[in-house]
């Protein structure tokens, strides 16, 4: 006798954005009206964001993953599969854009899931689901059979490095806070995922919040803290909601609060909502923000381990760092070191986005080449376009070119390219992305987000932005590249915190690998990628055009002539250079000059 | 104005005596009223004991806080890296054109829509995206954006 049929709806921000709410409502209504005995559950993000909304069915025949489900599909899936017992073949994962289907989950073949193990599998709002997959076992093991020193040793031995970007060894960091004198110590979890283009922490918190809480409790046990804070972005309302539900449930079951599991160890966690400031990802600025101040970084030393939040010894780690800890305690440091490289052990979560066929959330063992993540897991670039670069590490990181696609994904190899591992945002760029404009985009971001404390960061980023603005407007000057390099060096040397010290990275890496694009803008007044509007006009190559009308339909200003079977032409006077026509053209006939 | 002041007072009183309450106090006002009315700062000093200058300093530091009323529908259009690379600029143009907003104008004259550019809402694999109220719209195009706005133009908040 098979267990009852289980219907799982992916209900993280990505799924909801793609329309999971309507699908869920429809399925709930249908379930209520029929006597199938099936049960509907929500899960977090399974990582296949590009194919959301995802509906999974577990029945006596196995596990079936349906992709891009809308109400119409959901209706058929319900009637034919849940009621009729026959899966709807055509809707199953996974179909590639060239029409071929791969029923084996191609995206998962090269993945190893530690932090994401339960995301997309369990109901994040139900602690019993977490307990059923060995949840809070690590905490129980630690409190009942290990001293804080033994837990620390295990984390030290695992080689776990901070997943927020810099890669500082987590165990070593904990040992500093542990050694600090003081009766009151704080434990902080940095969930202020400010890098645009990154969503690892959002998904970890939306998909498996208890795992993060358990990791925090273990760290608190090591350093001797009784009070923790999760500082989360206000832009992530669902993550905050699920975190709060998880904290309440954990308290109710005695995994948080006084005398946890009957031990002498007491620890509780509060959630602080950020208010929108990128600089608060820097830990001393984050502490200032929790204290209710403007989020401005402080001079170090003293380091947070001695004087952090409210002047007390504090340990701060990123969400993903904590999310690895329960696994390490359950399975041991040796098992963890079985993944990754000698100096970068374990796995890393990346968010794949941009010009990529299969965008989503992936977790891979450290040390695999970038190429495998982008091409094998991510499926490469849509519409057979050419890969140009991948941006790693957000505004603090850099762009890695095609020639370095075989770079191993570990802290040291990535730093050697000029980028940084960062928190794990990977934004893929194709031939139609202008690298000068990308550098300008990041500088405009860091310039806006500079807290203003250090002059070089406050004004230097503005000067760099002005130069990049004029280069992309076609008014670049011969001396601009040299000036950018000088300013970059000065800003990096004269800024107090990571924001300023790394702000010039996007410019420096694009100058290093795509200098010719800067030169084309400045000397030839051309944008080779066809992005910078003052430098380009759009045209259709008549020979390559099949007259399919795709561009004509996409054009927001109706400035494309021609009809079915007749080559199209763009009326330049009315063209706003939005590039919509080029995006949709199936034959690549739209070009710029 | 009298009514606003008493509303603000009701919202912030529970925070009296709490440490580190500046941001939660401001968030409480904004969540309920949509913005921070100018008289909030003196009231925060009176009722919670946080100096008005400090509350104002914090309010102007963080991107979340606004000092002007918002329209019925707040459109948060994402200009994160992934959205940017996938053409968020076109979406922003579509919205601004369609709502006939001037260069420095963020709220329509009829107070129906307010547009706000945000750094990233974390739905990068569905870029470009925008949120209207609590609802997220993904994989936008120029045309799709205009249709969505039309759907909302007759809608109450």
């Amino acid at each position: 006798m098979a267990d009852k049929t289980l219907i799982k709806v992916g209900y993280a921000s990505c799924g909801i954005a793609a329309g999971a709410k309507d699908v869920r409502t429809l399925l709930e209504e249908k379930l209520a009206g029929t006597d199938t005995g099936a049960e509907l559950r929500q899960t977090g993000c399974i990582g296949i964001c590009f194919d959301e909304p995802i509906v999974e069915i577990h029945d006596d025949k196995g596990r079936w993953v349906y992709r891009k489900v809308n109400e119409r599909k959901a209706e058929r899936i319900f009637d034919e599969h849940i009621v009729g017992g026959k899966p709807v073949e055509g809707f199953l994962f996974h179909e590639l854009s060239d029409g071929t289907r791969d029923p084996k989950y191609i995206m998962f073949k090269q993945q190893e899931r530690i932090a994401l193990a339960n995301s997309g599998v369990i109901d994040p709002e139900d602690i019993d689901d977490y307990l059923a997959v060995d949840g809070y076992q690590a905490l129980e093991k630690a409190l009942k059979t290990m001293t804080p020193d033994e837990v620390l040793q295990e984390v030290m031995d695992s080689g776990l490095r901070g997943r927020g970007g810099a890669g500082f060894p987590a165990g070593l960091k904990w040992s500093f806070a542990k050694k600090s004198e003081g009766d009151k110590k704080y434990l902080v979890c940095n969930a202020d995922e400010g890098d645009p283009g990154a969503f690892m922490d959002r998904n970890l918190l939306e998909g498996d919040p208890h795992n993060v809480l358990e990791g925090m409790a273990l760290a608190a046990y090591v350093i001797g803290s009784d009070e923790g804070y999760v500082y989360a972005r206000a832009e992530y309302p669902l993550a905050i909601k699920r975190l709060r539900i998880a904290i309440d449930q954990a308290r109710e079951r005695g995994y948080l609060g006084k005398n946890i599991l009957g031990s002498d160890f007491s620890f509780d966690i509060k959630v602080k909502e950020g208010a929108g400031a990128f600089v608060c990802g820097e830990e001393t600025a984050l502490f200032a923000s929790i204290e209710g101040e403007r989020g401005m970084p402080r001079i170090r030393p003293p380091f947070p381990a001695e004087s952090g939040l409210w002047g007390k010894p504090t340990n701060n780690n990123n969400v993903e760092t904590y999310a690895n800890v329960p696994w390490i305690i359950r399975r041991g440091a040796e098992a963890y070191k079985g993944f990754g490289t000698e100096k970068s052990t374990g796995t890393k979560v990346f968010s794949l986005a941009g010009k990529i066929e299969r965008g989503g959330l992936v977790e891979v063992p450290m040390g695999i080449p970038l190429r495998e993540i982008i091409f094998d897991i991510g499926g490469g670039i849509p519409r057979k376009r050419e890969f140009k670069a991948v941006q790693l590490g957000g505004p603090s990181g850099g762009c890695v070119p095609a020639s370095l696609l075989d770079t191993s994904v570990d802290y040291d190899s990535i730093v050697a390219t000029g980028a940084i591992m960062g928190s794990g945002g990977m934004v893929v760029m194709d031939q139609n992305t202008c690298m000068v404009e990308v550098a300008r985009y990041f500088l405009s971001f860091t310039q806006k987000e500079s807290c203003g404390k250090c002059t070089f960061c406050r004004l230097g980023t503005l000067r760099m932005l002005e130069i990049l603005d004029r280069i992309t407007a076609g008014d670049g000057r011969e001396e601009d590249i040299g000036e950018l390099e000088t300013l970059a060096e000065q800003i990096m040397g004269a800024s107090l915190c990571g924001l300023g010290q790394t702000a010039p990275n996007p410019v420096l890496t694009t100058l290093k690998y795509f200098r010719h694009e800067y030169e084309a803008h400045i000397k030839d007044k051309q944008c080779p990628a066809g992005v910078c509007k003052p430098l380009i006009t759009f045209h259709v190559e008549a020979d390559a055009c099949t007259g399919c009308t795709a561009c004509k339909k996409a054009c927001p200003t109706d400035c494309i002539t021609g009809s079915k079977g007749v080559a199209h032409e763009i009326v330049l006077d009315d063209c706003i250079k939005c590039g919509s026509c080029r995006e949709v053209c199936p034959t690549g006939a739209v070009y710029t000059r | 104005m009298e009514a606003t002041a008493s509303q603000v007072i009701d919202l912030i009183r529970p925070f009296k005596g709490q440490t580190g309450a500046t941001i939660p106090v401001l968030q409480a006002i904004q969540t309920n009223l949509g913005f921070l009315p100018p008289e909030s700062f003196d009231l925060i000093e009176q009722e919670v004991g946080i100096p008005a200058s400090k509350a104002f300093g914090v309010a102007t530091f963080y991107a979340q806080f606004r000092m002007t009323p918002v329209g019925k529908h707040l459109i948060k259009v994402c200009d994160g890296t992934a959205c940017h690379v996938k053409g968020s600029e076109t979406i922003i143009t579509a919205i601004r054109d369609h709502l006939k907003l001037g260069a420095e104008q963020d709220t329509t004259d009829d107070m129906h829509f307010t547009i706000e550019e945000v750094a990233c809402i974390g739905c990068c694999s569905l870029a470009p995206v925008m949120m209207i109220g609590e609802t997220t719209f993904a994989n936008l195009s120029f045309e799709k954006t205009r249709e969505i706005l039309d759907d909302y133009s007759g809608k109450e908040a």
Side-chain angles (χ1 to χ4, degrees):
Chain A
M1 181 72 196
D3 286 348
K4 69 176 162 188
T5 302
L6 206 58
I7 309 167
K8 291 184 179 180
V9 179
Y11 216 62
S13 288
C14 40
I16 297 169
K21 197 175 174 186
D22 292 341
V23 169
R24 182 181 177 167
T25 310
L26 182 130
L27 289 172
E28 275 169 350
E29 281 167 9
K30 288 222 130 201
L31 267 179
T34 32
D35 183 25
T36 57
E39 190 189 338
L40 187 129
R41 315 220 54 182
Q42 62 173 354
T43 68
C45 172
I46 198 165
I48 330 171
C49 308
F50 68 102
D51 259 351
E52 291 282 359
I54 305 261
V55 172
E56 249 188 77
I57 313 267
H58 295 242
D59 61 13
D60 49 2
K61 290 192 233 38
R63 172 176 175 229
W64 310 87
V65 182
Y66 288 105
R67 58 189 289 268
K68 290 201 165 140
V69 180
N70 52 24
E71 286 170 286
R72 182 185 56 81
K73 285 186 182 176
E75 189 129 24
R76 275 192 59 193
I77 292 166
F78 192 89
D79 294 341
E80 293 173 32
H81 191 164
I82 308 287
V83 179
K86 201 167 167 290
V88 192
E89 279 292 330
F91 301 165
L92 286 168
F93 184 74
H94 170 260
E95 196 165 13
L96 299 172
S97 61
D98 62 5
T100 56
R101 274 183 55 213
D102 184 352
K104 292 186 205 92
Y105 311 136
I106 190 168
M107 264 191 101
F108 297 101
K109 267 197 238 160
Q110 280 134 306
Q111 295 198 44
E112 289 293 344
R113 298 198 153 206
I114 291 177
L116 286 177
N118 304 325
S119 186
V121 179
I122 63 168
D123 179 350
E125 295 182 20
D126 187 347
I127 192 171
D128 286 318
D129 258 28
Y130 183 62
L131 293 171
V133 288
D134 296 336
Y136 290 110
Q137 293 277 312
L139 185 62
E140 195 163 345
K141 178 181 175 187
L143 294 181
K144 291 187 174 159
T145 67
M146 297 167 88
T147 64
D149 281 310
E150 285 168 342
V151 176
L152 175 64
Q153 196 58 49
E154 202 67 39
V155 174
M156 289 254 215
D157 291 344
S158 75
L160 175 66
R161 293 170 71 168
R163 296 294 192 248
F168 192 81
L172 193 59
K173 199 172 191 181
W174 296 6
S175 75
F176 298 150
K178 183 178 170 59
K179 270 183 238 150
S180 283
E181 299 287 332
D183 48 354
K184 181 79 187 178
K185 292 178 186 176
Y186 290 102
L187 190 93
V188 176
C189 173
N190 184 349
D192 190 42
E193 186 167 58
D195 284 7
F199 52 95
M200 296 76 50
D201 297 348
R202 175 179 69 69
N203 272 350
L204 287 167
L205 292 171
E206 285 178 358
D208 194 9
H210 283 288
N211 187 38
V212 179
L213 300 181
E214 188 178 4
M216 287 178 72
L218 287 161
Y221 179 60
V222 169
I223 69 163
S225 162
D226 66 349
E227 193 174 344
Y229 284 93
V230 180
Y231 185 88
R233 289 184 85 200
E235 289 89 336
Y236 289 173
L238 185 63
I240 290 170
K241 178 188 151 205
R242 291 195 173 150
L243 199 51
R244 291 204 162 117
I245 292 173
I247 291 171
D248 286 344
Q249 290 176 342
R251 247 184 233 141
E252 231 167 70
R253 302 291 183 96
Y255 296 108
L256 285 177
K258 287 224 179 320
N259 301 100
I260 295 173
L261 300 171
S263 70
D264 295 339
F265 172 60
S266 298
F267 178 64
D268 211 340
I269 297 175
K270 290 182 189 138
V271 179
K272 276 275 179 181
E273 277 182 50
F278 177 65
V279 69
C280 288
E282 202 281 338
E283 56 187 7
T284 61
L286 187 155
F287 301 153
S289 184
I290 293 179
E291 291 167 12
E293 308 287 332
R294 291 164 74 100
M296 292 166 104
R298 296 164 185 169
I299 293 171
R300 292 180 287 188
F303 287 93
E306 299 156 39
S307 172
L309 187 58
W310 316 109
K312 303 288 184 196
T314 304
N315 180 74
N316 166 55
N317 286 115
N318 164 270
V319 174
E320 191 186 336
T321 315
Y322 289 125
N324 275 284
V325 177
W327 195 97
I328 292 170
I329 299 304
R330 273 200 318 271
R331 309 275 288 269
E334 280 309 310
Y336 191 76
K337 280 197 290 193
F339 301 107
T341 65
E342 196 191 334
K343 286 184 176 167
S344 302
T345 57
T347 58
K348 177 79 193 84
V349 180
F350 289 100
S351 57
L352 267 179
K355 305 286 185 76
I356 186 133
E357 188 76 50
R358 300 192 283 265
L361 204 65
V362 305
E363 183 171 357
V364 291
M366 296 264 198
I368 88 165
L370 274 172
R371 184 188 300 282
E372 279 184 30
I373 299 180
I374 294 163
F375 287 90
D376 297 348
I377 300 176
I381 318 297
R383 295 173 194 269
K384 297 192 176 116
R385 285 182 183 149
E386 207 179 304
F387 171 90
K388 188 186 242 179
V390 56
Q391 211 283 340
L392 301 175
S396 306
C399 295
V400 179
S403 59
L404 295 176
L405 266 174
D406 291 313
T407 302
S408 144
V409 171
D410 63 72
Y411 289 97
D412 311 298
S413 306
I414 290 187
V415 166
T417 67
I420 59 165
M421 177 82 91
S423 55
M426 267 191 195
V427 181
V428 178
M429 294 159 185
D430 71 0
Q431 63 199 54
N432 294 340
T433 314
C434 169
M435 303 315 283
V436 187
E437 206 281 328
V438 165
R440 190 207 60 79
Y441 165 78
F442 280 114
L443 249 292
S444 81
F445 179 82
T446 34
Q447 191 274 325
K448 262 185 259 168
E449 293 294 337
S450 170
C451 79
K453 185 166 184 161
C454 306
T455 314
F456 279 79
C457 177
R458 182 179 71 240
L459 296 176
T461 53
L462 182 61
R463 293 290 93 82
M464 284 183 86
L465 178 61
E466 285 166 357
I467 295 174
L468 292 163
D469 274 340
R470 72 171 174 249
I471 295 177
T472 50
D475 300 322
R477 304 168 194 161
E478 201 79 16
E479 67 274 16
D480 278 348
I481 292 180
E483 213 157 286
L484 282 173
E485 285 168 334
T486 310
L487 280 163
E489 196 184 321
Q490 291 169 340
I491 295 166
M492 291 166 103
S495 297
L496 197 57
C497 84
L499 191 152
Q501 288 162 9
T502 60
N505 276 350
V507 178
L508 291 178
T509 52
T510 46
L511 270 174
K512 186 171 171 187
Y513 300 116
F514 302 95
R515 203 180 188 91
H516 53 279
E517 288 198 28
Y518 282 83
E519 286 165 353
H521 282 74
I522 295 169
K523 290 180 190 151
D524 312 330
K525 308 294 174 205
Q526 277 181 0
C527 176
V531 171
C532 298
K533 288 183 184 172
L535 302 177
I536 54 165
T537 48
F538 279 85
H539 305 274
V540 179
E541 196 179 326
D543 291 346
C545 176
T546 59
C548 74
T549 72
C551 59
K552 198 175 153 107
K553 283 184 200 136
C555 178
T557 56
D558 292 327
C559 72
I560 299 179
T561 62
S563 51
K564 199 138 193 90
V566 181
H568 296 293
E569 208 172 314
I570 298 170
V571 181
L572 294 181
D573 284 349
D574 298 326
C575 175
I576 58 166
K577 303 177 186 176
C578 70
S580 300
C581 49
R582 184 173 57 186
E583 270 315 304
V584 298
C585 178
T587 60
V590 179
Y591 68 100
T592 58
R593 65 173 181 235
Chain B
M1 274 306 164
E2 287 284 301
T4 318
S6 70
Q7 272 177 303
V8 171
I9 291 170
D10 287 344
L11 290 167
I12 63 180
R13 252 198 197 135
F15 293 95
K16 191 169 184 151
Q18 284 186 23
T19 46
T22 320
I23 294 172
V25 164
L26 297 170
Q27 283 170 335
I29 301 172
Q30 182 159 303
T31 309
N32 287 280
L33 304 180
F35 74 114
L36 303 173
E39 60 266 44
S40 305
F41 302 102
D42 284 339
L43 292 170
I44 291 171
E45 178 161 331
Q46 266 171 46
E47 300 294 326
V48 193
I50 298 165
S53 58
K54 187 186 160 183
F56 187 75
V58 169
T60 49
F61 183 84
Y62 294 97
Q64 186 186 21
F65 300 116
R66 62 178 81 249
M67 312 284 181
T68 46
V70 279
K72 264 182 217 145
H73 300 288
L74 177 61
I75 307 168
K76 288 185 179 172
V77 49
C78 183
D79 191 29
T81 317
C83 287
H84 187 78
V85 170
K86 294 192 95 170
S88 55
E89 203 192 333
T90 304
I91 306 305
I92 295 166
T93 310
I95 299 171
R96 289 196 155 274
D97 280 5
H98 201 64
L99 301 180
K100 300 188 173 59
L101 289 167
E104 296 289 311
Q105 190 188 1
D106 292 327
T107 301
T108 52
D109 294 334
D110 62 0
M111 295 297 290
H112 200 76
F113 289 106
T114 295
I115 179 173
E116 181 181 25
E117 283 173 41
V118 296
C120 187
I121 51 182
C123 289
C124 313
S125 21
L126 302 163
V129 295
M130 68 173 173
M131 280 176 89
I132 303 182
E134 298 283 300
T135 313
T136 310
F137 297 92
N139 295 317
L140 294 173
S141 64
F142 203 106
E143 201 50 48
K144 194 171 163 187
T145 307
R146 287 201 288 206
E147 282 165 17
I148 294 165
L149 292 177
D150 283 340
D151 278 351
Y152 270 85
S153 55
K155 246 188 221 177
E156 289 305 304

